[in-house]
Amino acid sequence: MSAETEAPVGTPLGSDITRIHNIGYRNYEGARLGRAYARRSLYSQSLRGSYGLGRSAKSKVLPMILFAVMCLPAGIIVAVAIATNLKSLPLDYTRYAIFTQAIIGLYLASQAPQSVSRDLRFKTVPLYFSRPIERVDYVLAKYGAMASALFVLTASPLVILYAGSLLAKMDFADQTKGFGQGLVSVALLSLLFGGLGLVMAAFTPRRGFGVAAVIATLTITYGAVSTVQSIAVGTGSDGAAKWLGLFSPVTLIDGVQTAFLGASSSFPGGVGPSAGLGVLYLLVVLALIAGSYAVLMRRYRKVGL
């Protein structure tokens, strides 16, 4: 309802008559979908956005190219295995993500800032929180979407390898066991990398800084740790090399799957951690995942940011 003052036809100038006009506003009588629906919608939108779906064609180019490049080696391995009648795959399921870690790092560096830095740059976070959504919903949706996007990226090649191994008539039990171990490994990797990537990106509205921070966290730490491990192995300090693996996200995943998932170690000299030290590796991974969530919750404590 609105009030408007106007002079009808035939009314002398200077005499005002107030009229009430009904402009048709009605109360909303539909279902209130609430926080759960808002959280699912934000998760779905963020996951689709990680692959450019629902966005411009330009936004689809990089993630789709990286996805294709990620799957290409798996396709080549399957083709060779079928053509040459191999009895086992030349690359284990658990080693595939380590082998393609550079692609995973590039994908995370490009998509983690896109997921959260844009909201900071364009000041849209207060708009999210003006709806029936709280910071825990925002963090869970963004974290879940990033981890899910990474899982799709890293698990898809394993599906190709598994399907190819069955077509090549390799041992079903061995391939199924290896495939399951690979899925557990990439699930843990997706949670760890997704959390670390979002933490790096959430502290700057500038996408370029977020990209650089993610690359530094994954690539530089792995290069530094691997170099020092090589020096340690070369000097006969194999034990030190195992402990050094605790200081890089990539080597952490490598150590966990070596200790518990039957993987061969990618450490210099193949000196992976034992089951005892592997427990510490697993605890550090879980602590980093929980810590990433806690840091994100603290980061979004203020609505205005």
Side-chain angles (χ1 to χ4, degrees):
M1 305 292 287
S2 65
E4 181 179 329
T5 302
E6 64 176 21
V9 178
T11 302
L13 295 175
S15 60
D16 295 336
I17 297 178
T18 300
R19 292 184 176 183
I20 304 298
H21 296 270
N22 183 357
I23 59 178
Y25 289 131
R26 292 183 300 176
N27 292 330
Y28 176 72
E29 298 176 355
R32 302 287 180 176
L33 300 177
R35 287 174 54 192
Y37 179 82
R39 184 169 58 246
R40 288 195 302 270
S41 299
L42 182 57
Y43 166 82
S44 175
Q45 180 222 11
S46 300
L47 178 56
R48 286 167 52 83
S50 296
Y51 286 94
L53 303 178
R55 301 170 60 200
S56 65
K58 180 181 178 181
S59 301
K60 296 179 177 66
V61 174
L62 182 58
M64 291 304 180
I65 288 177
L66 291 175
F67 180 81
V69 173
M70 187 74 180
C71 294
L72 181 61
I76 295 174
I77 291 172
V78 166
V80 172
I82 294 175
T84 58
N85 295 318
L86 293 179
K87 299 302 180 182
S88 63
L89 293 172
L91 182 65
D92 293 339
Y93 295 95
T94 49
R95 287 180 60 85
Y96 195 91
I98 305 299
F99 176 72
T100 56
Q101 60 174 287
I103 304 171
I104 300 172
L106 286 175
Y107 178 85
L108 181 62
S110 65
Q111 298 308 312
Q114 183 274 329
S115 181
V116 293
S117 296
R118 288 166 57 89
D119 291 342
L120 296 173
R121 185 164 69 252
F122 297 115
K123 307 294 185 181
T124 56
V125 176
L127 297 180
Y128 282 119
F129 292 169
S130 68
R131 301 295 185 224
I133 189 173
E134 298 181 3
R135 62 172 176 155
V136 63
D137 301 311
Y138 183 86
V139 171
L140 284 175
K142 291 293 185 178
Y143 197 157
M146 193 71 260
S148 298
L150 284 172
F151 184 75
V152 170
L153 180 74
T154 53
S156 295
L158 303 188
V159 174
I160 296 174
L161 290 176
Y162 182 61
S165 69
L166 297 183
L167 289 174
K169 298 181 180 180
M170 298 179 186
D171 186 79
F172 176 79
D174 288 344
Q175 295 304 315
T176 301
K177 178 182 178 181
F179 178 59
Q181 291 171 334
L183 289 181
V184 172
S185 175
V186 297
L188 199 60
L189 179 147
S190 300
L191 287 171
L192 176 61
F193 283 24
L196 293 176
L198 288 181
V199 167
M200 297 298 105
F203 279 92
T204 174
R206 296 183 179 275
R207 185 172 181 176
F209 290 164
V211 170
V214 173
I215 292 177
T217 301
L218 298 182
T219 305
I220 295 179
T221 56
Y222 176 73
V225 168
S226 296
T227 300
V228 180
Q229 282 181 321
S230 298
I231 295 173
V233 171
T235 57
S237 302
D238 292 357
K242 297 177 183 179
W243 285 94
L244 287 168
L246 294 168
F247 298 96
S248 165
V250 177
T251 54
L252 277 171
I253 296 298
D254 192 313
V256 169
Q257 65 183 20
T258 300
F260 300 112
L261 298 176
S264 56
S265 177
S266 298
F267 288 5
V271 290
S274 61
L277 184 56
V279 172
L280 180 58
Y281 271 72
L282 181 59
L283 290 176
V284 172
V285 170
L286 296 177
L288 286 173
I289 293 172
S292 297
Y293 174 78
V295 171
L296 289 171
M297 286 291 292
R298 184 175 180 83
R299 175 69 181 95
Y300 291 100
R301 180 175 56 183
K302 295 181 180 180
V303 174
L305 298 174

